[in-house]
Amino acid sequence: MLVLKCSTKLFILENMLKSHFPESLKVYGAVMNINRGNPFQKEVVLDSWPNFKVIITRREREAETDNLDHYTNAYAVFYKDIRAYQQLLEECDVINWDQVFQIQGLQSELYAASKAAAKARLLDLDIKLTSFKAVHFSPVSSVPDHSFLTGPTPRLTYLSVSDADLLNRTWSRGGNQQCLRYLANLIACFPSVCVRDEKGNPVSWGITDQFATMCHGYTLPDHRRKGYSRLVALTLARKLQSRGFPSQGNVLDDNLASINLLKSVQAEFLPCRFHRLILTPAAFSRQAHL
């Protein structure tokens, strides 16, 4: 196991990962954020350098952590050899198995290999897998049309930390203190876009996570079918692209409204799927919010 700390090598790695798109997108986004201030206190673990077979991004070991916070305790994985990934998990202290955490990646063998590694270590874990369509936005070359936002309100702007409570209440994965803290950190660290009403409250928004993924795109029910979701999505994609980030996201197969929206803006549905594993030690099974 090697923890890659050298800034020069990390920028080299960033460029190397481009040749492995789209499967490397999650790790690529995490590495980009590490190379641009590292607001989420991440680090890169490899089996070897420069001829690596597996890369894992994880929270720095010295960073403060909450054992129930699987939102922040998140690992991104890209491998060239699935056996190297499983071996790294079995033999090395790469993962903190004593907390609730998640593993993300765009490769189909991730679940089976992670489960096998946990079994080899004789760990009593519940592993919950969710699989999504992976999406990439085409270049947004011009400012999205927002001429329909007439007058001073509604207005297009960005989120503030004080909006985290609303996001926590409306996110299907939210509704708990760990998520509230996580969302506040995302808003503070990464690009976001929202439409605010005449009272200044967000009615439609999109945020970016620690892997440079567009997520939690949401419009309040009373404000739907007004073009806000399209405007927010395109504006956020353009904001990410202007900073050199790939504008990528994911969507559940049964979320037809979002799928139709993505099709309408010519987003590309990638050939690989996004896989998220939430791993819960037996000791935390009654406490974790999944």
Side-chain angles (χ1 to χ4, degrees), residues 22-23 25-27 74-77 102-111 128-135 171 173 182 209-211 213-215 248-253 269-278:
E23 287 83 2
L25 273 170
K26 294 294 175 180
V27 168
Y75 301 77
V77 174
Q102 63 175 285
I103 297 175
Q104 296 192 8
L106 292 163
Q107 292 168 286
S108 60
E109 299 166 299
L110 197 60
Y111 173 77
K128 179 182 179 181
L129 169 67
T130 310
S131 180
F132 305 75
K133 292 180 181 292
V135 182
W171 199 14
R173 296 178 55 207
Y182 174 68
D209 73 7
Q210 55 191 310
F211 306 113
T213 303
M214 298 167 62
C215 65
Q248 44 107 4
N250 48 75
V251 60
L252 286 168
D253 294 79
F269 290 89
L270 300 176
C272 54
R273 292 179 64 83
F274 167 57
H275 305 280
R276 184 185 70 229
L277 286 61
I278 300 179

Side-chain angles (χ1 to χ4, degrees), residues 152-155 196-201 203 223:
T153 57
R155 62 189 176 93
R196 295 185 184 273
D197 64 13
E198 66 279 0
K199 296 181 180 179
N201 298 317
V203 297
H223 296 272

Side-chain angles (χ1 to χ4, degrees), residues 254-288:
D254 60 357
N255 190 343
L256 298 182
S258 293
I259 290 172
N260 289 333
L261 169 65
L262 291 164
K263 288 179 178 178
S264 75
V265 297
Q266 285 76 54
E268 176 190 6
F269 290 89
L270 300 176
C272 54
R273 292 179 64 83
F274 167 57
H275 305 280
R276 184 185 70 229
L277 286 61
I278 300 179
L279 300 92
T280 307
F284 296 124
S285 60
R286 293 184 179 179
Q287 299 171 264

Side-chain angles (χ1 to χ4, degrees), residues 26-27 30 42-43 45 55-61 65 69-78 85 89 93-106 110 114 210-211 274-279:
K26 294 294 175 180
V27 168
K42 293 285 189 177
E43 63 185 9
V45 177
I55 304 174
I56 299 175
T57 65
R58 69 181 186 187
R59 186 92 160 155
E60 291 177 342
R61 288 302 166 93
T65 185
D69 182 5
H70 73 268
Y71 307 94
T72 303
N73 304 331
Y75 301 77
V77 174
F78 168 69
Y85 167 65
L89 263 59
D93 188 25
V94 175
I95 301 290
N96 183 351
W97 300 95
D98 295 325
Q99 60 184 196
V100 187
F101 64 96
Q102 63 175 285
I103 297 175
Q104 296 192 8
L106 292 163
L110 197 60
S114 302
Q210 55 191 310
F211 306 113
F274 167 57
H275 305 280
R276 184 185 70 229
L277 286 61
I278 300 179
L279 300 92

Side-chain angles (χ1 to χ4, degrees), residues 71 167-177 179-180 183 289:
Y71 307 94
L167 270 64
N168 186 36
R169 287 186 279 111
T170 52
W171 199 14
S172 59
R173 296 178 55 207
N176 58 78
Q177 287 301 307
C179 187
L180 176 62
L183 289 168
H289 301 281

Side-chain angles (χ1 to χ4, degrees), residues 20-39:
H20 299 287
F21 283 177
E23 287 83 2
S24 64
L25 273 170
K26 294 294 175 180
V27 168
Y28 178 77
V31 172
M32 283 196 75
N33 281 327
I34 290 171
N35 288 336
R36 288 153 184 80
N38 200 13

